[in-house]
Amino acid sequence: MSARDDLVLLDLDGTLTDSAPGILASVRHAYGVLRLPVPAEAVLRGFVGPPLADSFAAHGVPHDRVADAVAAYRDVYAAGNLLDNAVYPGISACLTALRGAGLRLAVATSKPEPMARRIVAHFGLDAHLDRGLDDVFGATLDGSRSAKADVVAHALASLDAARRVVMVGDREHDVLGAGVHGIPCVGVAWGYARPGELTAAGATAVVGTPAELATVLLRRAPLAA
């Protein structure tokens, strides 16, 4: 099977971009609107990556107010906080190397798809994807698709993925969501995972730099059939 048959699904927050500043500001805003205590900074960083509603429910927001918290968050996030964000150094060179070797790249994120596409377009990351923004797959705004496993399923169905596939992500939900579909996951250590989180979740490998990620993917050991 040629490299061109291989598909790399890339998480967005904590993998391609350092999105914490805009996300955490929006989370703090939501707690303020609901007049609830804002969690400690270390807890807030855990909001980056998993589905937002799950994080609010796990950290002090009553079940019947989670929707209000999500709405308050999205008000300021969509208004501009989503661009309080930056592509990690070395990511563009990594993606260029992967595309140059014939790998197909797509984004699979738990962030709502419209917001993910805005971010990918803003930073020009769509230039590394075969179909541009049509290769960005995310959650739905109504919450009907939010778990990473569901996002991965959406991507696979849309990409006719009868090929070897690997996920790349920075949190355990990336590893576990890919695993539901029998897909290996390479973890990246520059994101928002707790120490040991990715290994404990079963990541095939954990890499420390985008250059190392390119080396691992181009070696293609994680994609072995």
Side-chain angles (χ1 to χ4, degrees):
M1 185 174 288
S2 69
R4 195 63 187 82
D5 293 317
D6 289 338
L7 169 66
V8 181
L9 297 176
L10 299 154
D11 178 48
L12 182 58
D13 296 336
T15 300
L16 300 181
T17 69
D18 181 5
S19 55
I23 290 175
L24 301 195
S26 302
V27 170
R28 293 188 193 97
H29 171 80
Y31 277 96
V33 169
L34 271 62
R35 299 185 179 182
L36 294 172
V38 179
E41 190 70 15
V43 173
L44 287 178
R45 286 184 66 82
F47 276 72
V48 184
L52 187 61
D54 294 351
S55 295
F56 278 128
H59 298 295
V61 177
H63 178 74
D64 61 354
R65 303 196 71 192
V66 167
D68 294 333
V70 171
Y73 170 98
R74 287 180 177 165
D75 281 346
V76 293
Y77 190 71
N81 280 358
L82 81 171
L83 299 183
D84 189 1
N85 199 344
V87 177
Y88 285 110
I91 285 295
S92 291
C94 172
L95 300 183
T96 297
L98 297 178
R99 277 296 300 274
L103 296 177
R104 180 166 189 181
L105 310 178
V107 172
T109 172
S110 294
K111 183 182 294 299
E113 197 167 282
M115 295 180 185
R117 291 184 172 189
R118 283 181 62 189
I119 293 166
V120 168
H122 178 78
F123 290 110
L125 294 171
D126 52 317
H128 300 285
L129 311 178
D130 278 9
R131 302 183 304 163
L133 296 179
D134 286 339
D135 280 342
V136 177
F137 303 96
T140 53
L141 288 168
D142 65 5
S144 60
R145 181 175 66 241
S146 61
K148 196 56 175 262
D150 294 337
V151 172
V152 171
H154 172 47
L156 296 178
S158 301
L159 292 168
D160 185 26
R163 51 173 66 85
R164 292 178 292 190
V165 185
V166 64
M167 180 78 209
V168 177
D170 73 306
R171 297 298 309 274
E172 62 183 2
H173 73 282
D174 296 310
V175 182
L176 299 174
V180 168
H181 302 280
I183 296 170
C185 182
V186 176
V188 302
W190 56 80
Y192 306 111
R194 301 177 300 275
E197 175 183 325
L198 291 163
T199 300
T204 301
V206 178
V207 297
T209 66
E212 186 182 355
L213 175 62
T215 297
V216 167
L217 292 178
L218 293 177
R219 189 168 64 229
R220 298 177 57 212
L223 285 79

